[in-house]
Amino acid sequence: MAEEQRDPNTIYVGKKPVMNYVLACLTQVQNGNGAVTVKARGMAISRAVDVAQIITKRFATDITVKRISINTEQVKSMVTGGMSNVSSIEIVLQK
Amino acid sequence: MAEEQRDPNTIYVGKKPVMNYVLACLTQVQNGNGAVTVKARGMAISRAVDVAQIITKRFATDITVKRISINTEQVKSMVTGGMSNVSSIEIVLQK
């Protein structure tokens, strides 16, 4: 997702193992302003929810889900070159 | 998900094509009390978000996302017989 702005407070969830993102989020909450935004698109949405749940239920019960929003983004298809819609999720975690 | 209570206002998103669930939700909103809850677990979470987005953005712009919540459910593994955690999502759509 190189076209998106790289906010250090935002973790983009993709195809890596879930624990990579969990660690990245925990590090960000500790070093940053106590909040982190988890974003994902398409099939990675399930993984983003996993990340949020693992953090709030297992590792850091003092961190809570503050806000969840869903949206639709337009992405250029790698195959056809046309535009297609893809769902996205944004989960804000806060200490 | 036979162990769960079958509320007619709740659509459980699984492995069927997205449009099946979109139609089921639209029917429920028209015939019911103007609201429907979309639920999904695990990998189907992405599809549930797709369903909500297709309804609110394409088919019925008068329906809005009222509430989104995420949770963790315990399910019995088909393979090992042990319990494992699976993330779930609940999206409430309202006219």
Side-chain angles (χ1 to χ4, degrees):
Chain A
M1 294 184 223
E3 76 275 17
E4 290 194 43
Q5 198 186 329
R6 285 277 176 184
D7 177 359
N9 271 328
T10 302
I11 307 290
Y12 291 95
V13 173
K15 295 182 176 182
K16 292 179 199 165
V18 171
M19 280 304 162
N20 292 28
Y21 303 110
V22 170
L23 267 173
C25 288
L26 288 174
T27 310
Q28 187 55 41
V29 170
Q30 304 305 334
N31 298 345
N33 55 10
V36 66
T37 305
V38 182
K39 285 191 184 179
R41 296 198 292 202
M43 293 305 291
I45 288 174
S46 316
R47 188 161 296 164
V49 175
D50 288 343
V51 169
Q53 287 295 301
I54 290 169
I55 291 170
T56 57
K57 295 275 162 79
R58 204 199 305 175
F59 283 114
T61 44
D62 55 337
I63 298 174
T64 53
V65 175
K66 193 191 164 198
R67 188 174 58 79
I68 306 169
S69 60
I70 57 177
N71 217 325
T72 304
E73 292 180 15
Q74 294 253 322
V75 289
K76 198 170 179 180
S77 167
M78 293 292 188
V79 186
T80 64
M83 298 303 283
S84 57
N85 292 317
V86 63
S87 299
S88 66
I89 197 167
E90 203 178 305
I91 305 171
V92 180
L93 300 174
Q94 198 166 43
K95 199 165 189 173
Chain B
M1 292 185 223
E3 76 274 17
E4 292 193 41
Q5 198 185 332
R6 285 278 176 182
D7 178 359
N9 272 329
T10 302
I11 307 289
Y12 291 95
V13 174
K15 293 182 177 181
K16 292 180 197 162
V18 171
M19 280 305 161
N20 292 28
Y21 303 111
V22 170
L23 268 173
C25 289
L26 288 174
T27 309
Q28 187 53 44
V29 170
Q30 304 304 335
N31 299 345
N33 55 9
V36 65
T37 304
V38 182
K39 285 191 185 181
R41 296 198 293 201
M43 293 305 289
I45 288 175
S46 314
R47 188 160 297 167
V49 175
D50 289 342
V51 169
Q53 287 295 300
I54 290 169
I55 291 170
T56 56
K57 296 275 161 79
R58 205 199 303 176
F59 284 113
T61 45
D62 56 335
I63 298 174
T64 53
V65 174
K66 193 189 164 199
R67 188 173 57 80
I68 306 169
S69 61
I70 57 177
N71 217 324
T72 304
E73 293 179 15
Q74 294 251 324
V75 289
K76 198 170 178 181
S77 167
M78 295 289 187
V79 186
T80 62
M83 298 304 281
S84 57
N85 291 317
V86 63
S87 299
S88 65
I89 197 167
E90 203 179 307
I91 305 171
V92 180
L93 300 175
Q94 199 168 43
K95 200 168 189 169

